[in-house]
Every structure is written in C-alpha cells, then in structure tokens.
Amino acid sequence: MANPGPEKERQMLGLFLVPGVYLRVLADVVRQLGYNDRSLYEGMEFAPQDLQSNDSRVFVTDAIVMVERALDLAGKNGLSFMLARELRVTIHGTLGFAALTSPTLAGALDSVRRYLQLRVPFLTMTLTDTGDHVLVRLKTEFDVPTQYRFLAETVSATLMLLAEQLIDREDADKRGFPLADGKLPGVKVRLTSPEPAYYRKFAPQLP
C-alpha cells in the first residue's frame, strides 16, 4: 500500500476506536508509579468515569495523545511492562474469551489473530507454522514513530503473559514442556528496537 502521508494517516487513524478500558488501566499504572494521572485527561472529551465500562470506546487519535503523555511521565519506569502485567485475559473482551476457551495454545493464538483488530484496529498479527516453531509477527498498519517501541513491548509482553495464564501446567509437564523457573519453554521475542534500560528490572518477571 502506498504511503498516504502523515496528514492522511492522522485522518484515517481518527476513524478507529479502541477500548477505553486500556486507557483506564494505563492511567491506573501511571498513578501506581507515583504520577498525576489526571494530567492524561486534560483537554479530552471524556473523564476517568467515562472509561469504567468495558464497552467504552475512545478514538485512536485521543489514545495516542494519552499514551504520549503517559510516556513523558513514566516511560523510563518500564510503563510498557507494567501495563502488560495489568492487562489480564478477562480485560480483552471477545478476544480474551476466545483465547480462554481455546483447547490449545495454537488455537488461542489463532483466536488472538482473528479478534485482535476488534481491540487494536491498527495492529495486525500473522502466524506461520514452520513445523518446529510457530512464528508470530506483529505489524502496525500506521506509523506512530514515538510510540512504536511502547506498543511492541506492551503487546508482545501481554501475549507472553496471556500464554502463561492459559497454559495448563500439569498438562504441559506431561507433554514434556515443564515451566523452568517460571519461564515458558521455547519462547523467544525479538523486537526491532534496542533493549531499554528498564528491561533488566522486568526480565525475571516475564515468562
């Protein structure tokens, strides 16, 4: 697809909606880190109480502003990993339910692939089964350069943590895939950006 240009991209992003619950949790994490989360809402047409319902929706352009403000406040504190840790499977609506009811991890990943754009409309996910491995690729459909690393870290960490929540430990042991020191066997995540300074703090907490 030809590059539509920054102004056209902004207009196209303005057509998309994302679940308000993600921004509510983001604000909660910013507050947990000791910052004033009220500043995230300045100038917005919605307030914290408007995001209480899991059915609430926010324009992507507003979400980008809120994330930018959150990163300015707490980006160096590992905001992406903190947020991923708070995004439990039940928060993800249809996507979470489909993953939760899948009989296998492969089925859960495919459910995430199919329903992802209902939750994050500017993100696509592809699965490639090589026989020995399943390769999961995440791609943003629009450029948000200042937030790419945050999105990549948050979504990849969320997927890993969801997998950990969904796996039947006893069944995994029987099949020869026991979790060693809480780590999922055979899982690697590769990002295109340099390792951030805060990664080492959160690495032991990731599965």
Side-chain angles (χ1 to χ4, degrees), residues 162-176:
L162 288 179
E164 182 191 33
Q165 293 173 54
L166 294 171
I167 284 178
D168 183 323
R169 302 285 200 280
E170 186 177 339
D171 188 55
D173 283 345
K174 289 178 181 177
R175 293 172 183 268

Side-chain angles (χ1 to χ4, degrees), residues 65-200:
V65 172
M66 284 194 70
V67 169
E68 198 69 42
R69 292 172 177 176
L71 287 172
D72 286 343
L73 288 173
K76 292 181 180 179
N77 297 83
L79 183 63
S80 53
F81 294 114
M82 291 281 289
L83 177 60
R85 205 165 56 188
E86 297 299 320
L87 293 176
R88 303 296 179 185
V89 66
T90 52
I91 285 178
H92 301 288
T94 304
L95 184 154
F97 180 75
L100 195 60
T101 54
S102 297
T104 65
L105 184 57
L109 283 172
D110 191 55
S111 294
V112 172
R113 178 192 62 79
R114 288 186 285 116
Y115 290 104
L116 182 63
Q117 288 197 303
L118 293 177
R119 308 297 286 180
V120 193
F122 52 88
L123 196 65
T124 58
M125 174 176 165
T126 59
L127 299 175
T128 304
D129 190 341
T130 68
D132 294 326
H133 298 88
V134 174
L135 180 63
V136 180
R137 286 191 181 95
L138 293 167
K139 179 184 176 184
T140 53
E141 293 299 303
F142 298 95
D143 285 334
V144 189
T146 58
Q147 297 182 17
Y148 173 76
R149 187 171 80 179
F150 170 77
L151 288 170
E153 290 172 3
T154 302
V155 175
S156 57
T158 298
L159 282 174
M160 290 167 58
L161 292 165
L162 288 179
E164 182 191 33
Q165 293 173 54
L166 294 171
I167 284 178
D168 183 323
R169 302 285 200 280
E170 186 177 339
D171 188 55
D173 283 345
K174 289 178 181 177
R175 293 172 183 268
F177 293 99
L179 272 70
D181 298 323
K183 304 296 182 184
L184 297 170
V187 176
K188 294 181 180 179
V189 178
R190 295 179 178 174
L191 305 180
T192 57
S193 51
E195 181 180 302
Y198 48 76
Y199 172 71
R200 291 295 160 189

Side-chain angles (χ1 to χ4, degrees), residues 27-48:
D28 288 345
V29 172
V30 168
R31 186 173 64 255
Q32 289 170 25
L33 289 168
Y35 299 97
N36 179 12
D37 62 302
R38 292 279 171 172
S39 64
L40 304 183
Y41 296 93
E42 289 179 5
M44 297 294 179
E45 295 183 1
F46 51 86

